[in-house]
Short mmCIF file of all heavy atoms in Angstrom, two decimals:
data_model
loop_
_atom_site.label_atom_id
_atom_site.label_comp_id
_atom_site.label_asym_id
_atom_site.label_seq_id
_atom_site.Cartn_x
_atom_site.Cartn_y
_atom_site.Cartn_z
N ALA U 60 122.17 107.60 90.88
CA ALA U 60 120.91 106.86 90.94
C ALA U 60 120.46 106.67 92.39
O ALA U 60 119.27 106.85 92.70
CB ALA U 60 121.08 105.50 90.26
N ALA U 61 121.37 106.32 93.27
CA ALA U 61 121.02 106.10 94.68
C ALA U 61 120.54 107.40 95.33
O ALA U 61 119.58 107.39 96.11
CB ALA U 61 122.21 105.53 95.44
N THR U 62 121.19 108.51 95.02
CA THR U 62 120.77 109.80 95.57
C THR U 62 119.38 110.17 95.08
O THR U 62 118.51 110.56 95.86
CB THR U 62 121.78 110.91 95.19
OG1 THR U 62 123.08 110.51 95.64
CG2 THR U 62 121.40 112.24 95.79
N TYR U 63 119.16 110.03 93.78
CA TYR U 63 117.86 110.34 93.18
C TYR U 63 116.76 109.50 93.82
O TYR U 63 115.73 110.02 94.26
CB TYR U 63 117.93 110.09 91.67
CG TYR U 63 116.66 110.37 90.94
CD1 TYR U 63 116.36 111.65 90.49
CD2 TYR U 63 115.74 109.36 90.67
CE1 TYR U 63 115.19 111.92 89.81
CE2 TYR U 63 114.57 109.61 90.00
CZ TYR U 63 114.30 110.89 89.57
OH TYR U 63 113.13 111.14 88.90
N LEU U 64 116.98 108.20 93.89
CA LEU U 64 115.96 107.30 94.44
C LEU U 64 115.74 107.52 95.93
O LEU U 64 114.61 107.38 96.41
CB LEU U 64 116.34 105.85 94.15
CG LEU U 64 116.29 105.46 92.67
CD1 LEU U 64 116.82 104.04 92.49
CD2 LEU U 64 114.88 105.59 92.11
N SER U 65 116.78 107.85 96.67
CA SER U 65 116.61 108.06 98.11
C SER U 65 115.76 109.30 98.39
O SER U 65 114.98 109.31 99.35
CB SER U 65 117.95 108.14 98.82
OG SER U 65 118.68 109.27 98.42
N ILE U 66 115.89 110.33 97.57
CA ILE U 66 115.04 111.52 97.77
C ILE U 66 113.59 111.19 97.45
O ILE U 66 112.67 111.57 98.19
CB ILE U 66 115.57 112.70 96.94
CG1 ILE U 66 116.88 113.19 97.59
CG2 ILE U 66 114.55 113.83 96.84
CD1 ILE U 66 117.62 114.24 96.82
N TRP U 67 113.35 110.43 96.38
CA TRP U 67 111.97 110.01 96.09
C TRP U 67 111.43 109.09 97.19
O TRP U 67 110.25 109.17 97.54
CB TRP U 67 111.91 109.32 94.73
CG TRP U 67 111.64 110.28 93.62
CD1 TRP U 67 112.50 110.65 92.64
CD2 TRP U 67 110.43 111.00 93.39
NE1 TRP U 67 111.90 111.56 91.82
CE2 TRP U 67 110.63 111.79 92.25
CE3 TRP U 67 109.20 111.05 94.03
CZ2 TRP U 67 109.64 112.63 91.74
CZ3 TRP U 67 108.22 111.89 93.52
CH2 TRP U 67 108.44 112.66 92.39
N PHE U 68 112.27 108.23 97.72
CA PHE U 68 111.86 107.35 98.80
C PHE U 68 111.45 108.16 100.03
O PHE U 68 110.42 107.89 100.65
CB PHE U 68 112.99 106.37 99.13
CG PHE U 68 112.65 105.40 100.21
CD1 PHE U 68 111.75 104.37 99.98
CD2 PHE U 68 113.23 105.50 101.47
CE1 PHE U 68 111.43 103.47 100.98
CE2 PHE U 68 112.91 104.61 102.47
CZ PHE U 68 112.00 103.58 102.23
N ALA U 69 112.24 109.17 100.36
CA ALA U 69 111.91 110.04 101.50
C ALA U 69 110.60 110.77 101.26
O ALA U 69 109.77 110.89 102.18
CB ALA U 69 113.05 111.04 101.75
N PHE U 70 110.36 111.25 100.06
CA PHE U 70 109.10 111.92 99.73
C PHE U 70 107.93 110.94 99.88
O PHE U 70 106.90 111.28 100.46
CB PHE U 70 109.15 112.48 98.30
CG PHE U 70 107.87 113.15 97.88
CD1 PHE U 70 107.55 114.41 98.33
CD2 PHE U 70 107.00 112.50 97.02
CE1 PHE U 70 106.38 115.03 97.94
CE2 PHE U 70 105.83 113.11 96.62
CZ PHE U 70 105.51 114.37 97.08
N GLY U 71 108.11 109.73 99.37
CA GLY U 71 107.06 108.72 99.50
C GLY U 71 106.77 108.36 100.94
O GLY U 71 105.61 108.21 101.34
N LEU U 72 107.82 108.23 101.75
CA LEU U 72 107.62 107.94 103.17
C LEU U 72 106.87 109.08 103.87
O LEU U 72 105.98 108.83 104.69
CB LEU U 72 108.96 107.72 103.87
CG LEU U 72 109.56 106.33 103.78
CD1 LEU U 72 110.91 106.30 104.50
CD2 LEU U 72 108.64 105.29 104.35
N ALA U 73 107.24 110.32 103.54
CA ALA U 73 106.55 111.46 104.14
C ALA U 73 105.06 111.44 103.78
O ALA U 73 104.19 111.65 104.65
CB ALA U 73 107.20 112.77 103.70
N CYS U 74 104.75 111.18 102.52
CA CYS U 74 103.35 111.09 102.10
C CYS U 74 102.63 109.97 102.84
O CYS U 74 101.50 110.13 103.31
CB CYS U 74 103.25 110.85 100.59
SG CYS U 74 103.70 112.25 99.58
N TYR U 75 103.28 108.83 102.93
CA TYR U 75 102.68 107.69 103.60
C TYR U 75 102.40 107.99 105.08
O TYR U 75 101.32 107.69 105.60
CB TYR U 75 103.57 106.46 103.47
CG TYR U 75 103.05 105.27 104.22
CD1 TYR U 75 101.99 104.52 103.70
CD2 TYR U 75 103.59 104.90 105.43
CE1 TYR U 75 101.49 103.43 104.39
CE2 TYR U 75 103.10 103.81 106.13
CZ TYR U 75 102.05 103.08 105.61
OH TYR U 75 101.55 102.01 106.30
N PHE U 76 103.38 108.59 105.76
CA PHE U 76 103.19 108.89 107.18
C PHE U 76 102.09 109.91 107.41
O PHE U 76 101.31 109.80 108.35
CB PHE U 76 104.50 109.33 107.83
CG PHE U 76 105.46 108.20 108.06
CD1 PHE U 76 106.77 108.31 107.65
CD2 PHE U 76 105.05 107.03 108.67
CE1 PHE U 76 107.66 107.26 107.84
CE2 PHE U 76 105.93 105.98 108.87
CZ PHE U 76 107.24 106.10 108.45
N VAL U 77 102.01 110.89 106.55
CA VAL U 77 100.92 111.87 106.67
C VAL U 77 99.58 111.19 106.42
O VAL U 77 98.61 111.42 107.15
CB VAL U 77 101.12 113.06 105.69
CG1 VAL U 77 99.88 113.92 105.60
CG2 VAL U 77 102.31 113.90 106.13
N LEU U 78 99.52 110.33 105.42
CA LEU U 78 98.27 109.63 105.11
C LEU U 78 97.83 108.71 106.25
O LEU U 78 96.65 108.67 106.59
CB LEU U 78 98.44 108.82 103.82
CG LEU U 78 97.20 108.14 103.28
CD1 LEU U 78 96.16 109.17 102.87
CD2 LEU U 78 97.55 107.25 102.11
N THR U 79 98.77 108.01 106.86
CA THR U 79 98.41 107.12 107.97
C THR U 79 98.14 107.88 109.26
O THR U 79 97.41 107.40 110.12
CB THR U 79 99.49 106.05 108.21
OG1 THR U 79 100.74 106.69 108.45
CG2 THR U 79 99.60 105.12 107.02
N ALA U 80 98.72 109.07 109.41
CA ALA U 80 98.50 109.86 110.62
C ALA U 80 97.12 110.52 110.60
O ALA U 80 96.59 110.88 111.66
CB ALA U 80 99.57 110.93 110.77
N LEU U 81 96.55 110.66 109.42
CA LEU U 81 95.24 111.29 109.29
C LEU U 81 94.24 110.29 108.72
O LEU U 81 93.78 110.43 107.59
CB LEU U 81 95.32 112.51 108.35
CG LEU U 81 96.31 113.59 108.74
CD1 LEU U 81 96.45 114.60 107.62
CD2 LEU U 81 95.90 114.26 110.03
N PRO U 82 93.86 109.27 109.51
CA PRO U 82 92.94 108.27 108.97
C PRO U 82 91.57 108.90 108.70
O PRO U 82 91.07 109.70 109.48
CB PRO U 82 92.85 107.22 110.08
CG PRO U 82 93.26 107.93 111.32
CD PRO U 82 94.19 109.03 110.90
N LEU U 83 91.04 108.55 107.54
CA LEU U 83 89.74 109.11 107.14
C LEU U 83 88.69 108.02 107.18
O LEU U 83 88.95 106.88 106.79
CB LEU U 83 89.83 109.65 105.71
CG LEU U 83 90.80 110.80 105.49
CD1 LEU U 83 90.96 111.06 104.00
CD2 LEU U 83 90.30 112.04 106.19
N PRO U 84 87.48 108.37 107.60
CA PRO U 84 86.39 107.40 107.49
C PRO U 84 86.14 107.06 106.02
O PRO U 84 86.41 107.87 105.13
CB PRO U 84 85.17 108.12 108.08
CG PRO U 84 85.68 109.39 108.65
CD PRO U 84 87.06 109.62 108.18
N ARG U 85 85.65 105.89 105.74
CA ARG U 85 85.45 105.43 104.35
C ARG U 85 84.63 106.44 103.54
O ARG U 85 84.92 106.68 102.38
CB ARG U 85 84.77 104.06 104.35
CG ARG U 85 84.47 103.52 102.98
CD ARG U 85 85.74 103.18 102.21
NE ARG U 85 85.39 102.91 100.84
CZ ARG U 85 86.05 103.36 99.79
NH1 ARG U 85 87.12 104.06 99.95
NH2 ARG U 85 85.67 103.09 98.58
N ALA U 86 83.64 107.05 104.13
CA ALA U 86 82.79 108.00 103.40
C ALA U 86 83.59 109.22 102.94
O ALA U 86 83.33 109.78 101.89
CB ALA U 86 81.63 108.44 104.28
N SER U 87 84.59 109.61 103.71
CA SER U 87 85.38 110.80 103.36
C SER U 87 86.49 110.49 102.35
O SER U 87 86.97 111.39 101.68
CB SER U 87 86.03 111.38 104.61
OG SER U 87 85.04 111.80 105.51
N GLN U 88 86.90 109.25 102.22
CA GLN U 88 88.00 108.90 101.33
C GLN U 88 87.69 109.24 99.87
O GLN U 88 88.56 109.70 99.14
CB GLN U 88 88.37 107.43 101.46
CG GLN U 88 89.11 107.14 102.74
CD GLN U 88 89.46 105.67 102.87
OE1 GLN U 88 88.91 104.83 102.17
NE2 GLN U 88 90.37 105.36 103.78
N ASP U 89 86.47 109.02 99.46
CA ASP U 89 86.10 109.33 98.08
C ASP U 89 86.16 110.82 97.81
O ASP U 89 86.64 111.24 96.76
CB ASP U 89 84.69 108.80 97.78
CG ASP U 89 84.59 107.30 97.99
OD1 ASP U 89 85.62 106.61 97.84
OD2 ASP U 89 83.50 106.82 98.33
N LEU U 90 85.70 111.60 98.76
CA LEU U 90 85.76 113.05 98.61
C LEU U 90 87.20 113.53 98.59
O LEU U 90 87.59 114.35 97.75
CB LEU U 90 84.99 113.72 99.75
CG LEU U 90 85.00 115.25 99.75
CD1 LEU U 90 84.34 115.80 98.50
CD2 LEU U 90 84.32 115.77 101.00
N VAL U 91 88.03 113.00 99.48
CA VAL U 91 89.44 113.40 99.54
C VAL U 91 90.18 112.99 98.27
O VAL U 91 91.00 113.74 97.75
CB VAL U 91 90.12 112.80 100.80
CG1 VAL U 91 91.62 113.00 100.77
CG2 VAL U 91 89.54 113.43 102.06
N GLY U 92 89.87 111.83 97.73
CA GLY U 92 90.50 111.38 96.48
C GLY U 92 90.18 112.30 95.33
O GLY U 92 91.06 112.70 94.56
N GLY U 93 88.91 112.66 95.18
CA GLY U 93 88.52 113.60 94.12
C GLY U 93 89.14 114.96 94.32
O GLY U 93 89.61 115.60 93.36
N LEU U 94 89.19 115.40 95.57
CA LEU U 94 89.81 116.69 95.88
C LEU U 94 91.31 116.67 95.60
O LEU U 94 91.88 117.65 95.11
CB LEU U 94 89.54 117.04 97.35
CG LEU U 94 89.95 118.43 97.81
CD1 LEU U 94 89.22 119.49 97.01
CD2 LEU U 94 89.65 118.59 99.29
N ALA U 95 91.97 115.55 95.89
CA ALA U 95 93.41 115.43 95.62
C ALA U 95 93.70 115.57 94.13
O ALA U 95 94.68 116.22 93.74
CB ALA U 95 93.93 114.08 96.13
N LEU U 96 92.86 115.00 93.29
CA LEU U 96 93.05 115.14 91.84
C LEU U 96 92.86 116.59 91.40
O LEU U 96 93.64 117.12 90.61
CB LEU U 96 92.09 114.22 91.09
CG LEU U 96 92.46 112.75 91.09
CD1 LEU U 96 91.31 111.90 90.59
CD2 LEU U 96 93.70 112.51 90.25
N ALA U 97 91.82 117.23 91.92
CA ALA U 97 91.57 118.63 91.55
C ALA U 97 92.72 119.52 92.03
O ALA U 97 93.17 120.41 91.31
CB ALA U 97 90.25 119.09 92.14
N LEU U 98 93.22 119.27 93.23
CA LEU U 98 94.34 120.07 93.74
C LEU U 98 95.63 119.81 92.95
O LEU U 98 96.44 120.72 92.77
CB LEU U 98 94.55 119.81 95.23
CG LEU U 98 93.46 120.38 96.14
CD1 LEU U 98 93.71 119.95 97.58
CD2 LEU U 98 93.35 121.88 96.02
N ALA U 99 95.81 118.57 92.48
CA ALA U 99 96.97 118.28 91.62
C ALA U 99 96.88 119.09 90.33
O ALA U 99 97.89 119.58 89.82
CB ALA U 99 97.03 116.79 91.31
N GLY U 100 95.66 119.26 89.83
CA GLY U 100 95.47 120.10 88.65
C GLY U 100 95.79 121.55 88.93
O GLY U 100 96.45 122.22 88.12
N LEU U 101 95.36 122.04 90.08
CA LEU U 101 95.69 123.42 90.44
C LEU U 101 97.19 123.60 90.65
O LEU U 101 97.75 124.63 90.29
CB LEU U 101 94.94 123.83 91.71
CG LEU U 101 93.46 124.12 91.55
CD1 LEU U 101 92.82 124.41 92.90
CD2 LEU U 101 93.24 125.28 90.60
N TYR U 102 97.83 122.60 91.22
CA TYR U 102 99.28 122.67 91.43
C TYR U 102 100.01 122.82 90.09
O TYR U 102 101.05 123.47 90.01
CB TYR U 102 99.76 121.42 92.18
CG TYR U 102 101.25 121.43 92.45
CD1 TYR U 102 101.79 122.26 93.42
CD2 TYR U 102 102.11 120.62 91.72
CE1 TYR U 102 103.15 122.27 93.67
CE2 TYR U 102 103.47 120.62 91.97
CZ TYR U 102 103.99 121.46 92.94
OH TYR U 102 105.34 121.47 93.17
N ALA U 103 99.44 122.22 89.03
CA ALA U 103 100.07 122.31 87.71
C ALA U 103 100.13 123.75 87.20
O ALA U 103 100.90 124.05 86.29
CB ALA U 103 99.31 121.43 86.71
N LEU U 104 99.36 124.64 87.79
CA LEU U 104 99.33 126.04 87.35
C LEU U 104 100.20 126.95 88.21
O LEU U 104 100.31 128.14 87.93
CB LEU U 104 97.89 126.57 87.37
CG LEU U 104 96.89 125.82 86.49
CD1 LEU U 104 95.49 126.34 86.72
CD2 LEU U 104 97.28 125.91 85.03
N THR U 105 100.84 126.40 89.24
CA THR U 105 101.60 127.24 90.17
C THR U 105 103.00 127.56 89.65
O THR U 105 103.58 126.79 88.87
CB THR U 105 101.74 126.55 91.55
OG1 THR U 105 102.53 125.37 91.39
CG2 THR U 105 100.39 126.22 92.15
#
């Protein structure tokens, strides 16, 4: 359980650090959010 959760924790930290390192203006956040959903859909086909 600890190994499983620590890998997910590391993945979450990596996502968080990337998100905070690339601050987006409020106007762009909506576009990026919609694009993230569409790309998640494309990822499902890989």
